[in-house]
Amino acid sequence: YFIKIPPILGVQYWGYISDIGYDREGILTKTTGTYSFENGYHKVHYCELDEHGTATDNTLLFSNEKMELSKSGSVAAHFLFMSLENTYTEYLTAFGKFVFEIESENYHLEITEGQITINLIYKLFNNNQLFSKYELSICICGEPPFTLNK
């Protein structure tokens, strides 16, 4: 299928992170970005600011089967999410490099007239120890109406 969305759109993350030994913490990120559809993949590029105002450039590349998230800036990493699959990433920060195993419990892509929604549940492991668990919804929307051609 082909989806036509204006090039500037809204990107919103919401969900929870559960660090081991701590309570659930809410996540909410709202930003704008650009969208394209190339070689069978949806591509969204956006900039995210952390609590200190430091920028990270992010690129989401996704299809029905998988989602990739590349981050560069104050942190750098490349994540690959596929339902019921385990993958690995190196997460580079100012504090050093961390290697995480990603256990994707659920990845679901839904495209409707007006928006793209990604639901994702995954766990991060470091040295075979559970590090954190994430439950995220990512909503990508722009100026309606979108056109969806199959």
Side-chain angles (χ1 to χ4, degrees), residues 1-148:
Y1 53 85
F2 176 79
I3 186 168
K4 182 178 178 185
I5 296 178
I8 303 298
L9 56 125
V11 179
Q12 179 173 329
Y13 282 70
W14 66 93
Y16 297 96
I17 178 176
S18 300
D19 288 328
I20 304 311
Y22 297 94
D23 292 330
R24 283 175 69 155
E25 178 183 331
I27 298 170
L28 177 61
T29 300
K30 291 183 180 182
T31 189
T32 58
T34 58
Y35 170 87
S36 62
F37 185 80
E38 302 169 8
N39 301 320
Y41 287 92
H42 303 272
K43 183 177 182 180
V44 176
H45 178 81
Y46 62 97
C47 184
E48 182 179 5
L49 296 177
D50 67 15
E51 62 272 8
H52 306 292
T54 305
T56 302
D57 285 323
N58 298 299
T59 301
L60 282 174
L61 189 66
F62 55 93
S63 66
N64 284 331
E65 294 79 32
K66 66 181 179 179
M67 180 179 86
E68 297 179 52
L69 170 61
S70 296
K71 298 173 107 25
S72 63
S74 60
V75 297
H78 182 87
F79 296 88
L80 173 61
F81 304 98
M82 296 182 295
S83 283
L84 305 174
E85 295 283 337
N86 290 14
T87 59
Y88 292 87
T89 189
E90 290 184 349
Y91 198 79
L92 306 174
T93 72
F95 305 106
K97 178 174 75 170
F98 301 91
V99 176
F100 288 109
E101 179 180 2
I102 305 165
E103 181 183 294
S104 301
E105 292 182 14
N106 185 37
Y107 165 73
H108 178 73
L109 173 65
E110 182 178 344
I111 299 174
T112 59
E113 295 296 323
Q115 76 180 34
I116 298 171
T117 303
I118 299 167
N119 291 302
L120 179 63
I121 299 173
Y122 69 98
K123 294 176 183 173
L124 291 180
F125 292 85
N126 181 259
N127 294 322
N128 295 320
Q129 298 286 334
L130 181 61
F131 183 79
S132 57
K133 180 176 181 177
Y134 295 80
E135 299 176 34
L136 296 177
S137 289
I138 303 168
C139 179
I140 301 162
C141 53
E143 293 290 324
F146 296 157
T147 55
L148 178 63

